[in-house]
Amino acid sequence: MPCLVLTGHPCVGKTEFAKKLRDQALQHKSGLISSVTIVNEEVACVDQTKSECYVTSHAEKSTRSSLKARVDRSLTDDPSSLVICDSLNYIKGYRYELHCLSKATGQKHGVIWILNSSKVAQDWNQKRSREKAEYFYTEEQMKELIMRFEPPDARNRWDKPLWRVDLTPASEMQKLSSTETVVEEALKQSVYNMHDLSEAINTDAAPQKIPQTSAASTFKKGSGFKESRPYFKKKDIDTETSENFKTENSNRDKEIEHSMKTAEEQINEILDSFLMDVAPLKQGLSTQSHVNAQSNVLHDVDSLTSQVCNAIVAAESKSYSGSKLILTQFGEPSIQLACSRHLPLTELKRLRKQYVRWVAKSPPQDTTKR
Protein backbone atom coordinates (compact mmCIF):
# COMPACT_ATOMS: atom_id res chain seq x y z
CA MET A 1 0.00 0.00 0.00
CA PRO A 2 1.87 3.14 -1.15
CA CYS A 3 1.90 6.06 1.29
CA LEU A 4 1.99 9.80 0.66
CA VAL A 5 2.66 12.05 3.66
CA LEU A 6 1.39 15.64 3.55
CA THR A 7 3.22 18.22 5.62
CA GLY A 8 2.99 21.98 6.01
CA HIS A 9 1.81 24.82 8.21
CA PRO A 10 -1.72 24.72 9.63
CA CYS A 11 -4.54 26.10 7.46
CA VAL A 12 -2.63 26.06 4.16
CA GLY A 13 -5.05 23.77 2.30
CA LYS A 14 -3.75 20.27 3.05
CA THR A 15 -7.17 18.65 3.58
CA GLU A 16 -8.67 20.00 0.35
CA PHE A 17 -5.51 18.99 -1.48
CA ALA A 18 -5.76 15.46 -0.01
CA LYS A 19 -9.32 15.12 -1.30
CA LYS A 20 -8.31 16.23 -4.79
CA LEU A 21 -5.33 13.88 -4.64
CA ARG A 22 -7.65 11.00 -3.72
CA ASP A 23 -10.05 11.71 -6.60
CA GLN A 24 -7.31 12.06 -9.21
CA ALA A 25 -5.42 8.99 -7.96
CA LEU A 26 -8.52 6.85 -8.52
CA GLN A 27 -8.84 8.24 -12.05
CA HIS A 28 -5.14 8.14 -12.93
CA LYS A 29 -4.30 6.92 -16.42
CA SER A 30 -2.06 4.13 -15.09
CA GLY A 31 -4.97 2.45 -13.30
CA LEU A 32 -2.64 1.33 -10.50
CA ILE A 33 -4.78 2.71 -7.65
CA SER A 34 -8.13 1.10 -6.83
CA SER A 35 -8.73 2.48 -3.32
CA VAL A 36 -7.54 5.46 -1.28
CA THR A 37 -7.52 5.90 2.51
CA ILE A 38 -7.13 9.37 4.04
CA VAL A 39 -5.83 9.41 7.62
CA ASN A 40 -6.21 12.67 9.57
CA GLU A 41 -7.31 13.98 12.96
CA GLU A 42 -10.98 13.59 12.05
CA VAL A 43 -10.49 9.84 11.66
CA ALA A 44 -7.90 9.16 14.37
CA CYS A 45 -9.26 11.51 17.06
CA VAL A 46 -13.01 11.60 16.51
CA ASP A 47 -13.82 12.96 19.96
CA GLN A 48 -11.52 16.01 19.73
CA THR A 49 -11.30 19.18 17.70
CA LYS A 50 -8.07 20.17 15.98
CA SER A 51 -7.42 22.80 18.61
CA GLU A 52 -7.81 20.19 21.36
CA CYS A 53 -5.46 17.82 19.53
CA TYR A 54 -2.60 20.33 19.84
CA VAL A 55 -3.53 22.25 22.99
CA THR A 56 -0.71 20.70 25.09
CA SER A 57 2.42 18.65 24.46
CA HIS A 58 0.71 15.59 25.96
CA ALA A 59 -2.27 16.04 23.63
CA GLU A 60 0.10 16.39 20.65
CA LYS A 61 1.89 13.17 21.59
CA SER A 62 -1.41 11.32 21.91
CA THR A 63 -2.57 12.69 18.54
CA ARG A 64 0.61 11.60 16.77
CA SER A 65 0.34 8.13 18.32
CA SER A 66 -3.25 7.78 17.13
CA LEU A 67 -2.36 8.93 13.61
CA LYS A 68 0.62 6.58 13.42
CA ALA A 69 -1.44 3.62 14.64
CA ARG A 70 -4.13 4.36 12.07
CA VAL A 71 -1.55 4.60 9.27
CA ASP A 72 0.05 1.35 10.43
CA ARG A 73 -3.30 -0.46 10.29
CA SER A 74 -4.06 0.98 6.85
CA LEU A 75 -0.74 -0.05 5.28
CA THR A 76 -0.87 -3.48 3.65
CA ASP A 77 1.01 -5.42 1.00
CA ASP A 78 -1.57 -4.42 -1.63
CA PRO A 79 0.14 -2.00 -4.10
CA SER A 80 -3.22 -0.86 -5.51
CA SER A 81 -4.32 0.85 -2.26
CA LEU A 82 -3.01 4.34 -1.49
CA VAL A 83 -2.72 5.83 2.02
CA ILE A 84 -2.65 9.62 2.41
CA CYS A 85 -1.54 10.92 5.81
CA ASP A 86 -3.22 14.33 5.97
CA SER A 87 -1.83 16.08 9.03
CA LEU A 88 0.77 18.65 10.07
CA ASN A 89 3.58 16.04 10.27
CA TYR A 90 5.90 18.89 11.21
CA ILE A 91 8.45 16.81 13.18
CA LYS A 92 11.14 15.17 11.06
CA GLY A 93 11.51 12.31 13.56
CA TYR A 94 7.80 11.54 13.18
CA ARG A 95 8.12 11.57 9.40
CA TYR A 96 10.98 9.08 9.81
CA GLU A 97 8.67 6.78 11.79
CA LEU A 98 6.09 6.91 8.99
CA HIS A 99 8.88 6.15 6.53
CA CYS A 100 9.78 3.04 8.54
CA LEU A 101 6.14 1.87 8.44
CA SER A 102 6.17 2.02 4.64
CA LYS A 103 9.55 0.34 4.56
CA ALA A 104 8.24 -2.54 6.67
CA THR A 105 5.58 -3.29 4.05
CA GLY A 106 7.99 -2.82 1.14
CA GLN A 107 5.82 -0.19 -0.56
CA LYS A 108 6.39 3.24 -2.11
CA HIS A 109 6.68 6.32 0.10
CA GLY A 110 6.75 10.04 -0.62
CA VAL A 111 6.38 13.44 1.07
CA ILE A 112 4.40 16.42 -0.26
CA TRP A 113 5.12 19.84 1.26
CA ILE A 114 2.06 22.08 0.99
CA LEU A 115 3.00 25.76 0.87
CA ASN A 116 0.94 28.90 1.18
CA SER A 117 1.30 32.49 2.29
CA SER A 118 1.13 33.05 6.06
CA LYS A 119 -1.46 35.79 5.54
CA VAL A 120 -3.71 33.40 3.58
CA ALA A 121 -3.36 30.78 6.33
CA GLN A 122 -4.38 33.29 9.00
CA ASP A 123 -7.35 34.48 6.95
CA TRP A 124 -8.53 30.91 6.38
CA ASN A 125 -8.18 30.17 10.08
CA GLN A 126 -10.32 33.18 11.00
CA LYS A 127 -12.91 32.11 8.45
CA ARG A 128 -13.02 28.68 10.06
CA SER A 129 -13.78 30.22 13.45
CA ARG A 130 -17.05 31.48 12.00
CA GLU A 131 -17.99 28.52 9.79
CA LYS A 132 -16.27 25.38 11.17
CA ALA A 133 -15.27 25.87 14.78
CA GLU A 134 -13.91 22.31 15.08
CA TYR A 135 -11.10 23.17 12.61
CA PHE A 136 -10.15 26.47 14.27
CA TYR A 137 -6.71 27.08 15.84
CA THR A 138 -6.13 29.85 18.35
CA GLU A 139 -3.74 32.60 17.33
CA GLU A 140 -1.18 31.39 19.87
CA GLN A 141 -1.41 27.83 18.56
CA MET A 142 -0.92 28.99 14.98
CA LYS A 143 2.20 30.92 15.95
CA GLU A 144 3.69 28.03 17.94
CA LEU A 145 2.98 25.36 15.32
CA ILE A 146 4.48 27.48 12.55
CA MET A 147 7.53 28.26 14.66
CA ARG A 148 8.09 24.57 15.56
CA PHE A 149 7.69 23.38 11.96
CA GLU A 150 10.72 21.38 10.80
CA PRO A 151 10.92 21.83 7.01
CA PRO A 152 11.41 18.62 5.01
CA ASP A 153 14.79 18.16 3.40
CA ALA A 154 15.13 16.03 0.25
CA ARG A 155 18.67 15.14 1.35
CA ASN A 156 17.15 12.96 4.09
CA ARG A 157 16.07 9.51 2.93
CA TRP A 158 12.80 9.70 4.92
CA ASP A 159 11.84 12.96 3.14
CA LYS A 160 12.67 11.60 -0.31
CA PRO A 161 11.11 11.88 -2.83
CA LEU A 162 9.87 15.34 -1.89
CA TRP A 163 7.41 17.44 -3.86
CA ARG A 164 6.59 21.08 -3.09
CA VAL A 165 3.08 22.28 -3.95
CA ASP A 166 2.49 26.03 -3.78
CA LEU A 167 -1.18 26.90 -3.28
CA THR A 168 -0.56 30.63 -2.81
CA PRO A 169 -3.04 32.74 -4.79
CA ALA A 170 -1.48 34.85 -7.54
CA SER A 171 -2.63 38.05 -5.82
CA GLU A 172 -0.72 37.16 -2.65
CA MET A 173 2.31 35.96 -4.61
CA GLN A 174 2.81 39.42 -6.05
CA LYS A 175 2.75 40.97 -2.56
CA LEU A 176 5.88 39.11 -1.46
CA SER A 177 9.20 40.91 -1.69
CA SER A 178 11.05 40.98 -4.97
CA THR A 179 13.31 38.04 -4.06
CA GLU A 180 11.41 36.19 -1.31
CA THR A 181 9.33 33.11 -2.04
CA VAL A 182 6.84 31.21 0.11
CA VAL A 183 9.52 28.58 0.78
CA GLU A 184 11.93 31.17 2.14
CA GLU A 185 9.11 32.73 4.13
CA ALA A 186 8.42 29.35 5.76
CA LEU A 187 12.12 28.88 6.56
CA LYS A 188 12.35 32.29 8.22
CA GLN A 189 9.40 31.54 10.50
CA SER A 190 10.85 28.20 11.65
CA VAL A 191 13.37 27.96 14.49
CA TYR A 192 14.67 24.64 13.10
CA ASN A 193 16.34 26.05 9.99
CA MET A 194 19.72 25.04 11.39
CA HIS A 195 21.19 23.24 8.36
CA ASP A 196 20.90 26.09 5.86
CA LEU A 197 17.98 24.51 4.02
CA SER A 198 17.67 27.53 1.76
CA GLU A 199 20.68 26.34 -0.26
CA ALA A 200 19.26 22.82 -0.58
CA ILE A 201 15.79 24.07 -1.52
CA ASN A 202 16.87 26.75 -3.96
CA THR A 203 18.69 24.28 -6.20
CA ASP A 204 18.46 26.48 -9.26
CA ALA A 205 20.36 29.32 -7.62
CA ALA A 206 23.99 29.48 -8.63
CA PRO A 207 26.44 30.02 -5.76
CA GLN A 208 27.96 33.42 -5.57
CA LYS A 209 31.56 33.45 -6.71
CA ILE A 210 34.13 35.95 -5.52
CA PRO A 211 37.12 36.63 -7.77
CA GLN A 212 40.28 35.19 -6.24
CA THR A 213 43.90 36.13 -6.85
CA SER A 214 47.03 34.22 -6.05
CA ALA A 215 48.18 34.41 -2.47
CA ALA A 216 51.73 35.19 -3.52
CA SER A 217 53.65 37.40 -1.13
CA THR A 218 55.82 40.31 -2.15
CA PHE A 219 59.04 41.35 -0.46
CA LYS A 220 59.88 44.97 0.14
CA LYS A 221 63.19 46.09 1.47
CA GLY A 222 62.96 47.09 5.10
CA SER A 223 59.35 46.09 5.49
CA GLY A 224 59.56 42.26 5.56
CA PHE A 225 57.00 40.01 3.87
CA LYS A 226 53.69 41.52 2.97
CA GLU A 227 50.72 39.41 1.82
CA SER A 228 49.08 40.73 -1.33
CA ARG A 229 45.34 41.41 -1.07
CA PRO A 230 42.77 40.36 -3.69
CA TYR A 231 42.32 43.02 -6.31
CA PHE A 232 38.75 43.74 -7.42
CA LYS A 233 37.96 45.73 -10.48
CA LYS A 234 34.80 47.80 -10.50
CA LYS A 235 33.80 46.09 -13.74
CA ASP A 236 34.05 42.64 -12.09
CA ILE A 237 31.93 43.72 -9.13
CA ASP A 238 29.26 45.26 -11.36
CA THR A 239 29.14 42.14 -13.55
CA GLU A 240 28.84 39.86 -10.51
CA THR A 241 26.06 41.96 -8.98
CA SER A 242 24.18 41.97 -12.28
CA GLU A 243 24.49 38.16 -12.60
CA ASN A 244 23.25 37.61 -9.04
CA PHE A 245 20.31 39.93 -9.63
CA LYS A 246 19.41 38.07 -12.84
CA THR A 247 19.64 34.71 -11.03
CA GLU A 248 17.37 35.87 -8.21
CA ASN A 249 14.83 37.25 -10.68
CA SER A 250 14.96 34.01 -12.70
CA ASN A 251 14.28 31.92 -9.59
CA ARG A 252 11.51 34.29 -8.62
CA ASP A 253 9.90 33.96 -12.06
CA LYS A 254 10.12 30.16 -11.94
CA GLU A 255 8.46 30.12 -8.51
CA ILE A 256 5.61 32.33 -9.72
CA GLU A 257 5.23 30.28 -12.90
CA HIS A 258 5.04 27.07 -10.85
CA SER A 259 2.52 28.57 -8.43
CA MET A 260 0.31 29.62 -11.35
CA LYS A 261 -0.30 25.95 -12.13
CA THR A 262 -3.58 24.67 -10.83
CA ALA A 263 -3.65 22.13 -8.01
CA GLU A 264 -4.95 19.53 -10.46
CA GLU A 265 -1.95 20.02 -12.76
CA GLN A 266 0.50 19.72 -9.89
CA ILE A 267 -1.27 16.59 -8.61
CA ASN A 268 -1.03 14.97 -12.04
CA GLU A 269 2.71 15.62 -12.13
CA ILE A 270 3.13 14.14 -8.64
CA LEU A 271 1.09 11.03 -9.42
CA ASP A 272 2.96 10.46 -12.69
CA SER A 273 6.27 10.61 -10.87
CA PHE A 274 5.18 8.69 -7.77
CA LEU A 275 3.33 5.83 -9.47
CA MET A 276 5.55 5.41 -12.53
CA ASP A 277 9.09 6.33 -11.41
CA VAL A 278 9.41 5.84 -7.63
CA ALA A 279 10.70 2.41 -6.59
CA PRO A 280 9.28 0.57 -3.55
CA LEU A 281 11.30 0.71 -0.35
CA LYS A 282 13.42 -2.29 0.54
CA GLN A 283 12.90 -3.69 3.99
CA GLY A 284 15.94 -3.24 6.23
CA LEU A 285 17.15 -5.25 9.19
CA SER A 286 15.61 -2.78 11.65
CA THR A 287 12.11 -3.35 10.26
CA GLN A 288 12.28 -7.05 9.48
CA SER A 289 10.08 -9.41 11.48
CA HIS A 290 12.45 -11.99 12.90
CA VAL A 291 11.46 -15.63 13.13
CA ASN A 292 10.80 -16.91 16.65
CA ALA A 293 12.71 -20.16 16.53
CA GLN A 294 12.91 -22.85 19.21
CA SER A 295 15.51 -22.45 21.92
CA ASN A 296 17.33 -25.68 21.00
CA VAL A 297 17.35 -25.16 17.23
CA LEU A 298 21.12 -24.67 16.99
CA HIS A 299 21.79 -27.81 19.02
CA ASP A 300 19.47 -29.85 16.77
CA VAL A 301 21.03 -28.46 13.59
CA ASP A 302 24.55 -29.10 14.87
CA SER A 303 23.70 -32.69 15.79
CA LEU A 304 21.89 -33.37 12.51
CA THR A 305 24.65 -31.93 10.28
CA SER A 306 27.22 -34.03 12.16
CA GLN A 307 25.16 -37.16 11.42
CA VAL A 308 24.91 -36.20 7.74
CA CYS A 309 28.68 -35.74 7.44
CA ASN A 310 29.33 -39.13 9.07
CA ALA A 311 26.75 -40.77 6.79
CA ILE A 312 28.40 -39.29 3.66
CA VAL A 313 31.85 -40.53 4.77
CA ALA A 314 30.44 -44.01 5.41
CA ALA A 315 28.66 -44.09 2.04
CA GLU A 316 31.79 -42.98 0.19
CA SER A 317 33.77 -45.86 1.72
CA LYS A 318 31.30 -48.35 0.21
CA SER A 319 31.10 -46.84 -3.31
CA TYR A 320 33.44 -45.73 -6.06
CA SER A 321 34.08 -42.14 -7.16
CA GLY A 322 31.36 -40.57 -9.33
CA SER A 323 28.58 -42.93 -8.28
CA LYS A 324 25.47 -42.02 -6.31
CA LEU A 325 25.73 -42.08 -2.53
CA ILE A 326 22.84 -43.77 -0.74
CA LEU A 327 22.16 -42.59 2.84
CA THR A 328 20.03 -45.12 4.72
CA GLN A 329 20.61 -43.77 8.26
CA PHE A 330 17.66 -41.36 8.09
CA GLY A 331 14.81 -43.77 7.48
CA GLU A 332 12.78 -44.57 4.40
CA PRO A 333 12.88 -43.55 1.64
CA SER A 334 16.66 -43.45 1.52
CA ILE A 335 18.46 -40.27 0.43
CA GLN A 336 20.49 -40.38 -2.80
CA LEU A 337 23.27 -37.90 -3.47
CA ALA A 338 25.02 -37.48 -6.83
CA CYS A 339 28.70 -36.70 -6.18
CA SER A 340 31.04 -36.22 -9.13
CA ARG A 341 34.12 -36.46 -6.92
CA HIS A 342 35.28 -37.67 -3.53
CA LEU A 343 34.51 -35.28 -0.64
CA PRO A 344 37.18 -35.34 2.06
CA LEU A 345 36.16 -35.05 5.71
CA THR A 346 37.89 -31.66 6.11
CA GLU A 347 35.77 -30.14 3.31
CA LEU A 348 32.59 -31.60 4.83
CA LYS A 349 33.43 -30.05 8.19
CA ARG A 350 34.08 -26.66 6.57
CA LEU A 351 30.73 -26.74 4.74
CA ARG A 352 29.01 -27.84 7.93
CA LYS A 353 30.39 -24.88 9.89
CA GLN A 354 29.25 -22.44 7.17
CA TYR A 355 25.76 -23.91 7.22
CA VAL A 356 25.51 -23.72 11.02
CA ARG A 357 26.57 -20.05 10.97
CA TRP A 358 23.91 -19.31 8.33
CA VAL A 359 21.23 -21.11 10.38
CA ALA A 360 22.19 -19.01 13.43
CA LYS A 361 21.25 -15.87 11.48
CA SER A 362 18.15 -17.36 9.76
CA PRO A 363 16.79 -20.12 12.02
CA PRO A 364 14.07 -22.41 10.59
CA GLN A 365 10.60 -22.35 12.12
CA ASP A 366 10.28 -26.12 12.30
CA THR A 367 13.26 -28.45 12.85
CA THR A 368 11.19 -31.67 12.77
CA LYS A 369 10.73 -31.62 9.00
CA ARG A 370 13.05 -33.76 6.95
Side-chain angles (χ1 to χ4, degrees), residues 93-277:
Y94 182 67
R95 293 196 296 268
Y96 171 74
E97 294 178 3
L98 297 177
H99 170 84
C100 290
L101 293 180
S102 297
K103 196 173 184 179
T105 58
Q107 296 295 335
K108 300 179 180 181
H109 184 87
V111 178
I112 302 177
W113 185 4
I114 308 298
L115 294 161
N116 211 325
S117 171
S118 58
K119 184 180 183 304
V120 174
Q122 293 173 1
D123 293 342
W124 285 356
N125 187 51
Q126 293 297 327
K127 186 177 179 181
R128 286 179 177 180
S129 64
R130 299 185 298 268
E131 298 178 359
K132 297 181 179 180
E134 64 273 14
Y135 297 102
F136 172 71
Y137 295 99
T138 63
E139 185 176 350
E140 183 179 358
Q141 280 181 325
M142 285 281 292
K143 183 178 180 181
E144 290 180 356
L145 291 173
I146 291 176
M147 183 177 61
R148 295 202 303 267
F149 180 75
E150 300 180 21
D153 187 355
R155 294 173 295 184
N156 299 327
R157 65 181 183 276
W158 58 87
D159 287 335
K160 185 168 53 177
L162 174 65
W163 295 277
R164 297 197 302 268
V165 177
D166 190 356
L167 301 180
T168 307
S171 57
E172 291 295 330
M173 198 68 180
Q174 299 295 338
K175 294 180 182 179
L176 294 175
S177 61
S178 59
T179 59
E180 188 180 41
T181 64
V182 287
V183 180
E184 295 169 348
E185 182 188 23
L187 293 179
K188 287 182 179 180
Q189 294 175 338
S190 174
V191 298
Y192 290 98
N193 184 22
M194 60 186 71
H195 301 296
D196 199 9
L197 290 176
S198 57
E199 293 184 1
I201 290 174
N202 196 10
T203 54
D204 295 332
Q208 297 182 2
K209 296 181 180 179
I210 300 177
Q212 299 287 342
T213 60
S214 61
S217 300
T218 57
F219 177 78
K220 291 184 179 181
K221 186 176 181 180
S223 61
F225 289 96
K226 183 177 180 181
E227 184 179 356
S228 61
R229 297 182 179 179
Y231 176 69
F232 296 91
K233 293 182 179 180
K234 185 177 184 302
K235 182 179 180 181
D236 294 337
I237 297 177
D238 293 341
T239 303
E240 178 190 356
T241 304
S242 177
E243 290 178 355
N244 293 337
F245 182 75
K246 290 180 180 178
T247 302
E248 291 174 353
N249 285 343
S250 176
N251 296 330
R252 170 72 175 173
D253 294 339
K254 290 181 180 179
E255 191 75 21
I256 294 177
E257 181 182 356
H258 181 72
S259 65
M260 293 301 290
K261 293 183 179 180
T262 63
E264 290 76 9
E265 293 175 344
Q266 298 183 62
I267 289 174
N268 283 331
E269 293 178 358
I270 293 174
L271 289 175
D272 291 342
S273 176
F274 181 67
L275 297 177
M276 310 300 292
D277 301 332

Side-chain angles (χ1 to χ4, degrees), residues 293-294 296-297 300-301 304 330 363-370:
Q294 300 176 2
N296 60 341
V297 62
D300 293 343
V301 170
L304 182 59
F330 304 98
Q365 294 182 347
D366 188 2
T367 58
T368 61
K369 294 183 179 179
R370 184 176 178 179

